[in-house]
Amino acid sequence: MISRFFSRISSRVTLSVWRRLRARLWAVAGVVALGFLIALEFAARRYGLPGPIASQVREVIFPPKSGFLLYAAMALMMVVLTWRQRFIAAGAAIGIDVAFLVVRWVADAKVTDGHPFGNGALWVILGCAVIAVTRRTGRERVLLLKGVGLGLLLVAGRKTGDTWLLITSKTRPAVLDQYVATADHALGNPSWLVGRIVTATGPIGFNFLDVVYGQLAVAAVIVALYQLRNVAVERRFPGHHLVRTFLVIGVLGPAIYMIFPVVGPVFAYGTGTEHWATVSMWSDTPPSGQWAVANLWPETPPPISTPHHMPFDAITPRNCMPSLHTAWATVIFIHSRKGPRLLRFAGTFWLTATLGATLGFGYHYGADLIAGVVFALTIEAALRSLDRGWDRSGIQLVAHGATVFTVLLVSYRYLPLEMARHPWVSGPLLMLAMTSVVYGYVRTIALWEPRAAPARQQEPQPEPV
């Protein structure tokens, strides 16, 4: 009895200490994120372009480049509002956008760079921030500010990613595509195989996958809205949800691009001009293909030879290793597992179609996708551990995922020839390495779930006299 009493006290003290520590960690993370945004702003200014902060401020008045994303951000913010407040907010956003359209029409200002809508959504988000500070108090103020922060973070994550891509293209003149393409022989050159399949489907298959690939954020918002559907009723956010992982992947992933710059097979081994829309945010002049090794993709896989660093233009982003589209689609799949059948089907469909698009469009090698899955599961495990408290299983899972990810990058860089010459050994080893992280994640989550939501034991009822 005494030992049980002290164990309860110890567990409560530990939980209290962890909650205070977690609050401090989030405060530190907020300061670091602000400093990071300011640093990216200065880095972008160095190349004569607006950074993430300036781009966001610009969209208050000028046509936004991310109109759909701004409305998606407003939808995330509205999870903290009542249904009446949601209708008012949506109506206000549409009304403001109509007013902007009328003013631009009267001023004969044509929208050539950006979307003709989206300003209204941003104004509503900022207006809710003002209301939270001036008209709300206590928990209501905190909840509304959290909703505003969630919406602004979604857009800031997009702006941060764009700036990261700019920095990779300007600061990494040489790319490692030959190394990854050589290592990809161990997997049977899947980008070349899927690329031929997508080409054979004609414009119908291409346009279908292009829509799926380009609207990945929409799928993420749909799953996030389902997860956050009860925030307005419970007056609090869940401990962990998709948006957190989605944003962290978008912030940390481009840092790997700086370490392992790769442009992708359609650019390194093809002309890349038909895919110019993906890199047209900084230049109106498409690449001529003169930087490519040869025009081989997707018809002819590159021959096995000693790889070298290869110079590339200062326009195309080095955004292949790891594949963040694969990482994002993976976490969408994970977070859709607890939804209704339709949502689970959508999560599976988006993951499958995204894998086909990343390979079929020549944006990624197969090795990128394996690294992307490991990267996503490692970050997801770390954020879940941060929410529930670090324990041995969480530390082991994150350490295992980080180790496998590091080994993958080292292998692609220093052992590509050996991997290409022995595909029957190296190929299964690559798949086994990824599978070990998937298995470890599934097994650890199975151990966590009962503790995350313990069943309440019914108190014994007195026996009738």
Side-chain angles (χ1 to χ4, degrees):
M1 182 69 67
I2 295 177
S3 62
R4 185 180 301 175
F5 172 76
F6 279 109
S7 65
R8 288 182 179 178
I9 292 179
S10 176
S11 63
R12 291 178 181 178
V13 171
T14 303
L15 183 60
S16 176
V17 171
W18 167 245
R19 285 176 177 173
R20 290 198 299 268
L21 178 61
R22 186 173 61 179
R24 294 176 182 176
L25 287 175
W26 280 115
V28 172
V31 174
V32 172
L34 179 60
F36 178 67
L37 288 175
I38 295 174
L40 285 181
E41 186 73 28
F42 280 107
R45 292 287 180 177
R46 181 181 177 184
Y47 297 106
L49 293 172
I53 299 176
S55 298
Q56 187 71 79
V57 173
R58 180 185 181 278
E59 293 184 348
V60 175
I61 300 297
F62 296 96
K65 292 186 176 181
S66 49
F68 291 103
L69 190 66
L70 284 171
Y71 270 93
M74 186 183 71
L76 283 178
M77 184 272 298
M78 290 195 300
V79 298
V80 303
L81 305 179
T82 63
W83 278 107
R84 177 176 176 273
Q85 294 169 339
R86 291 170 184 171
F87 284 120
I88 294 174
I94 295 173
I96 293 172
D97 272 335
V98 171
F100 269 96
L101 285 174
V102 172
V103 170
R104 288 168 185 151
W105 176 73
V106 172
D108 196 22
K110 296 182 179 179
V111 179
T112 59
D113 184 21
H115 290 89
F117 59 90
N119 302 95
L122 183 57
W123 277 52
V124 168
I125 295 175
L126 297 177
C128 288
V130 174
I131 292 174
V133 174
T134 59
R135 305 290 297 274
R136 298 287 187 269
T137 59
R139 293 182 60 185
E140 292 298 318
R141 172 185 291 177
V142 173
L143 183 66
L144 186 53
L145 286 177
K146 284 184 177 180
V148 170
L150 188 66
L152 290 178
L153 279 175
L154 182 65
V155 183
R158 170 67 177 272
K159 303 297 183 184
T160 301
D162 291 346
T163 305
W164 260 122
L165 297 183
L166 166 67
I167 294 174
T168 63
S169 64
K170 299 296 184 181
T171 62
R172 292 296 179 267
V175 297
L176 303 177
D177 280 76
Q178 293 188 27
Y179 293 88
V180 184
T182 303
D184 225 37
H185 281 276
L187 300 171
N189 301 296
S191 181
W192 272 257
L193 174 61
V194 181
R196 290 194 295 272
I197 294 175
V198 172
T199 302
T201 61
I204 296 178
F206 183 92
N207 293 332
F208 173 75
L209 289 179
D210 188 50
V211 171
V212 174
Y213 187 86
Q215 300 302 322
L216 184 67
V218 175
V221 170
I222 292 174
V223 176
L225 289 176
Y226 175 79
Q227 290 182 322
L228 304 176
R229 65 193 184 281
N230 294 324
V231 170
V233 177
E234 299 177 355
R235 313 310 295 167
R236 65 180 182 86
F237 278 86
H240 178 62
H241 50 83
L242 172 62
V243 180
R244 294 174 61 189
T245 311
F246 208 83
L247 291 174
V248 173
I249 288 176
V251 172
L252 296 182
I256 310 300
Y257 298 161
M258 302 291 290
I259 302 172
F260 211 106
V262 180
V263 294
V266 72
F267 297 108
Y269 293 92
T271 61
T273 53
E274 65 272 25
H275 299 273
W276 175 239
T278 60
V279 296
S280 61
M281 63 184 73
W282 307 304
S283 174
D284 296 327
T285 305
S288 62
Q290 60 183 347
W291 299 103
V293 176
N295 190 6
L296 300 176
W297 189 89
E299 299 299 332
T300 307
I304 299 176
S305 61
T306 303
H308 300 282
H309 287 68
M310 54 182 288
F312 215 76
D313 61 45
I315 300 174
T316 308
R318 281 64 166 148
N319 60 340
C320 283
M321 183 62 72
S323 169
L324 293 196
H325 263 76
T326 299
W328 283 323
T330 300
V331 296
I332 289 174
F333 173 81
I334 292 172
H335 284 265
S336 65
R337 292 307 88 194
K338 290 189 175 181
R341 180 178 299 177
L342 181 61
L343 194 65
R344 296 196 303 270
F345 172 80
T348 304
F349 162 77
W350 228 275
L351 175 60
T352 305
T354 299
L355 294 178
T358 54
L359 293 174
F361 292 163
Y363 294 155
H364 290 281
Y365 304 91
D368 305 336
L369 273 59
I370 291 178
V373 172
V374 175
F375 186 71
L377 294 179
T378 303
I379 292 179
E380 175 71 12
L383 291 178
R384 283 182 179 268
S385 297
L386 185 63
D387 173 61
R388 68 185 299 277
W390 288 93
D391 58 10
R392 183 177 180 181
S393 59
I395 294 173
Q396 288 178 339
L397 177 58
V398 174
H400 177 62
T403 302
V404 170
F405 183 75
T406 303
V407 170
L408 288 175
L409 295 188
V410 172
S411 301
Y412 298 156
R413 172 61 180 83
Y414 295 103
L415 300 173
L417 270 179
E418 288 73 10
M419 296 170 66
R421 290 169 177 169
H422 305 90
W424 296 106
V425 177
S426 55
L429 284 178
L430 289 176
M431 299 302 297
L432 182 62
M434 181 187 70
T435 304
S436 70
V437 178
V438 175
Y439 172 77
Y441 178 84
V442 173
R443 182 175 179 274
T444 303
I445 293 301
L447 294 175
W448 285 354
E449 291 299 337
R451 293 193 223 172
R456 297 183 60 183
Q457 296 182 356
Q458 296 183 355
E459 297 182 358
Q461 299 294 329
E463 296 181 1
V465 178

